[in-house]
Amino acid sequence: MQRRHLLSALAAASVLPGMSFAQGKPIRIVVPFPPGGATDITGRALQEPLSRLLQQPVVIDNRAGAGGSIGMAEVARAAPDGLTLCVATLSTHGVNPAVFQKLPYDPIKDFVGVTEIVKAPGVLVINPKEVPVQTFAELVRFLKANPGKVSYASPGNGTIGHMWGELFKNSTGTSMVHIPYRGAGPALNDVLAGQVGVYFDQVASSLSYVKTGKLKALAVSWGSRLDVLPDVPTYAELGFPAINDPSWFGLVAPAGTPPALVAQLQQAVAAALKSPGVAERLAGQGLYPSGTTPAAFTRQIASEIDKMKKVAAFAKIQLD
């Protein structure tokens, strides 16, 4: 059954009539962040199956810097021939356009959405030694009783962790002090050390610490309870659907890429995500395969920008 499914996926990803990639040239997938992170893992998980399905070499090119802006700007200037793509994120195509006054790329005008690749559930964690609560409701009551006395960490000003924290505060009517760090690693380390009590993270990063009891998970942003955290409710269950949206990673191409090539790429990614071992590899990193249509992903990007602009407005987040 699995073999038949893979063969049908291969057929679906075949070159559409009248369209083909330039022969002899590899497809370059730009990852606008350093190697080793979730964005990089997402791109590399697709490398081998996409090359096989499209019968074309695929290379991963890390172009990190400026919160993803360097890599995104390079792809925005690339030829729209389907040979240069980029792994977009909620940060590059949601947060950045909402918080930065100027960007070297326009997330709407400079790109065409190909597909959402994976979703990444978020998790609200606390250091139980620093914040004496057991449940989400208890945390909200504690914060309301101690306004401005509890801090939450983020990987930096204008990051998705910062936005999640401000969205939580606005939705629950609570007050916390934001402590920005230079990256997710230092932020998480200080939460573990008890320097900061609260952290809004992706499940993949915090899961091992939740399992060992060093951190306590109080809520997840997902459509249902996660198998890896079955006792942790979703924000929607708790009555806060506005903060129940997970993070995501998707694929974009330069504006002007022919629709037939975009469709071909989307079909290939959807098939690659169903290739043996790919979903398992991603799930092991807290990443859950998607594979949406170009139209759906384009609408999603516009919706995310609008949502993040609202968060930036009420939190008064504006960066140069």
Side-chain angles (χ1 to χ4, degrees):
M1 177 67 70
Q2 190 177 55
R3 177 175 174 80
R4 288 201 302 271
H5 184 77
L6 185 57
L7 289 174
S8 64
L10 177 58
S14 61
V15 177
L16 298 178
M19 299 303 300
S20 65
F21 296 97
Q23 295 303 306
K25 293 185 178 180
I27 296 172
R28 182 171 65 116
I29 299 179
V30 172
V31 173
F33 295 98
T39 316
D40 184 63
I41 290 168
T42 298
R44 292 183 188 279
L46 293 176
Q47 186 176 11
E48 187 280 327
L50 277 185
S51 179
R52 172 167 38 83
L53 289 164
L54 294 170
Q55 299 181 1
Q56 192 92 356
V58 176
V59 298
I60 303 298
D61 187 4
N62 294 89
R63 297 282 176 170
S69 293
I70 291 176
M72 298 309 309
E74 181 173 329
V75 175
R77 296 189 298 265
D81 54 11
L83 293 177
T84 302
L85 311 169
C86 192
V87 181
T89 71
L90 178 54
S91 293
T92 64
H93 277 64
V95 178
N96 283 359
V99 302
F100 285 99
Q101 295 184 37
K102 293 182 179 180
L103 280 177
Y105 65 92
D106 186 306
I108 300 296
K109 296 179 180 179
D110 291 343
F111 302 96
V112 57
V114 176
T115 183
E116 181 185 73
I117 305 169
V118 294
K119 288 186 181 296
V123 62
L124 162 59
V125 294
I126 61 168
N127 184 316
K129 294 181 179 180
E130 297 301 314
V131 184
V133 304
Q134 294 296 315
T135 67
F136 181 93
E138 288 180 6
L139 175 63
V140 172
R141 288 197 294 270
F142 183 79
L143 293 175
K144 288 184 176 180
N146 298 275
K149 295 182 180 179
V150 176
S151 300
Y152 79 92
S154 85
N157 286 315
T159 61
I160 185 58
H162 185 191
M163 303 299 273
W164 277 343
E166 295 304 312
L167 187 56
F168 169 88
K169 287 164 55 179
N170 183 263
S171 298
T172 59
T174 55
S175 173
M176 286 189 288
V177 178
H178 173 226
I179 308 295
Y181 287 80
R182 289 182 175 272
L188 183 57
N189 286 340
D190 263 17
V191 176
L192 290 166
Q195 299 299 315
V196 188
V198 180
Y199 191 41
F200 298 87
D201 198 11
Q202 291 184 0
V203 168
S205 304
S206 292
L207 183 60
S208 62
Y209 302 109
V210 173
K211 294 293 187 182
T212 59
K214 293 181 179 179
L215 297 177
K216 184 170 184 60
L218 300 183
V220 295
S221 53
W222 199 241
S224 60
R225 295 199 180 195
L226 295 167
D227 291 340
V228 293
L229 293 172
D231 297 327
V232 181
T234 68
Y235 285 108
E237 276 185 78
L238 295 164
F240 296 93
I243 45 179
N244 201 53
D245 294 337
S247 185
W248 50 262
F249 303 92
L251 197 67
V252 295
T257 301
L261 279 182
V262 173
Q264 180 185 343
L265 288 164
Q266 186 277 328
Q267 292 164 7
V269 171
L273 292 172
K274 296 174 182 175
S275 297
V278 174
E280 292 80 359
R281 176 182 174 185
L282 291 168
Q285 301 292 329
L287 304 168
Y288 296 85
S290 180
T292 55
T293 65
F297 187 45
T298 299
R299 289 194 299 270
Q300 178 180 334
I301 290 172
S303 175
E304 294 286 13
I305 293 172
D306 182 62
K307 179 177 180 178
M308 290 302 162
K309 282 184 176 179
K310 292 176 181 176
V311 177
F314 65 65
K316 297 181 173 58
I317 302 172
Q318 191 70 64
L319 305 176
D320 295 331

Tab-separated table of all heavy atoms in Angstrom, residues 13 60 99 146 161 175 199-200 232 238 267 281 303 305:
chain	number	residue	atom	x	y	z
A	13	ALA	N	3.507	14.541	-8.968
A	13	ALA	CA	4.524	15.585	-8.954
A	13	ALA	C	5.288	15.695	-10.258
A	13	ALA	O	6.249	16.430	-10.369
A	13	ALA	CB	5.513	15.318	-7.809
A	60	ILE	N	20.391	22.905	-0.174
A	60	ILE	CA	19.974	23.795	0.899
A	60	ILE	C	21.048	24.857	1.087
A	60	ILE	O	22.232	24.554	1.177
A	60	ILE	CB	19.775	23.021	2.219
A	60	ILE	CG1	18.747	21.887	2.023
A	60	ILE	CG2	19.328	23.965	3.324
A	60	ILE	CD1	17.362	22.354	1.636
A	99	VAL	N	6.423	44.397	12.877
A	99	VAL	CA	7.168	45.138	13.893
A	99	VAL	C	8.292	46.011	13.348
A	99	VAL	O	8.725	46.953	14.020
A	99	VAL	CB	7.744	44.178	14.963
A	99	VAL	CG1	6.630	43.383	15.627
A	99	VAL	CG2	8.791	43.245	14.374
A	146	ASN	N	-0.455	39.690	41.293
A	146	ASN	CA	0.914	40.210	41.376
A	146	ASN	C	1.292	40.925	40.079
A	146	ASN	O	2.230	40.517	39.379
A	146	ASN	CB	1.896	39.070	41.654
A	146	ASN	CG	1.649	38.368	42.959
A	146	ASN	OD1	2.116	38.811	44.007
A	146	ASN	ND2	0.897	37.269	42.901
A	161	GLY	N	8.242	34.646	20.151
A	161	GLY	CA	8.046	34.457	21.584
A	161	GLY	C	7.579	35.734	22.267
A	161	GLY	O	6.748	35.702	23.183
A	175	SER	N	-0.473	41.160	33.578
A	175	SER	CA	0.710	42.002	33.389
A	175	SER	C	1.955	41.206	33.749
A	175	SER	O	2.037	40.598	34.817
A	175	SER	CB	0.608	43.251	34.272
A	175	SER	OG	1.807	44.003	34.221
A	199	TYR	N	7.868	31.292	30.009
A	199	TYR	CA	8.442	31.269	28.651
A	199	TYR	C	7.394	30.744	27.676
A	199	TYR	O	6.702	29.758	27.954
A	199	TYR	CB	9.672	30.361	28.629
A	199	TYR	CG	10.518	30.444	27.373
A	199	TYR	CD1	10.794	31.661	26.756
A	199	TYR	CD2	11.066	29.298	26.824
A	199	TYR	CE1	11.591	31.729	25.630
A	199	TYR	CE2	11.871	29.349	25.692
A	199	TYR	CZ	12.127	30.572	25.092
A	199	TYR	OH	12.919	30.633	23.971
A	200	PHE	N	7.293	31.402	26.534
A	200	PHE	CA	6.403	30.970	25.457
A	200	PHE	C	7.289	30.366	24.367
A	200	PHE	O	7.993	31.080	23.663
A	200	PHE	CB	5.588	32.146	24.932
A	200	PHE	CG	4.686	32.749	25.984
A	200	PHE	CD1	5.166	33.732	26.845
A	200	PHE	CD2	3.386	32.305	26.128
A	200	PHE	CE1	4.354	34.277	27.829
A	200	PHE	CE2	2.562	32.847	27.120
A	200	PHE	CZ	3.048	33.834	27.962
A	232	VAL	N	-1.888	18.220	29.008
A	232	VAL	CA	-1.809	19.677	28.893
A	232	VAL	C	-2.914	20.177	27.964
A	232	VAL	O	-2.964	19.791	26.791
A	232	VAL	CB	-0.433	20.119	28.367
A	232	VAL	CG1	-0.364	21.642	28.280
A	232	VAL	CG2	0.679	19.587	29.271
A	238	LEU	N	-9.190	26.112	27.136
A	238	LEU	CA	-9.185	26.975	28.314
A	238	LEU	C	-9.974	28.264	28.106
A	238	LEU	O	-10.073	29.087	29.005
A	238	LEU	CB	-7.735	27.314	28.677
A	238	LEU	CG	-6.891	26.113	29.125
A	238	LEU	CD1	-5.400	26.462	29.078
A	238	LEU	CD2	-7.290	25.669	30.524
A	267	GLN	N	2.691	20.209	-5.299
A	267	GLN	CA	2.385	18.782	-5.385
A	267	GLN	C	3.575	17.939	-4.950
A	267	GLN	O	3.427	16.911	-4.271
A	267	GLN	CB	1.969	18.428	-6.815
A	267	GLN	CG	0.628	19.025	-7.225
A	267	GLN	CD	0.414	18.993	-8.727
A	267	GLN	OE1	1.201	18.421	-9.474
A	267	GLN	NE2	-0.664	19.621	-9.188
A	281	ARG	N	10.422	11.814	10.925
A	281	ARG	CA	11.583	12.647	11.226
A	281	ARG	C	11.153	14.026	11.705
A	281	ARG	O	11.699	14.561	12.681
A	281	ARG	CB	12.459	12.767	9.984
A	281	ARG	CG	13.658	13.693	10.143
A	281	ARG	CD	14.429	13.789	8.834
A	281	ARG	NE	15.498	14.773	8.916
A	281	ARG	CZ	16.264	15.135	7.889
A	281	ARG	NH1	16.089	14.576	6.702
A	281	ARG	NH2	17.210	16.049	8.034
A	303	SER	N	-3.289	36.755	6.509
A	303	SER	CA	-3.994	36.723	7.792
A	303	SER	C	-3.026	36.854	8.963
A	303	SER	O	-3.302	37.561	9.944
A	303	SER	CB	-4.785	35.410	7.907
A	303	SER	OG	-5.390	35.291	9.186
A	305	ILE	N	-0.052	38.321	8.968
A	305	ILE	CA	0.470	39.692	9.034
A	305	ILE	C	-0.544	40.603	9.722
A	305	ILE	O	-0.192	41.408	10.589
A	305	ILE	CB	0.807	40.220	7.622
A	305	ILE	CG1	1.985	39.432	7.036
A	305	ILE	CG2	1.131	41.708	7.662
A	305	ILE	CD1	2.269	39.752	5.583
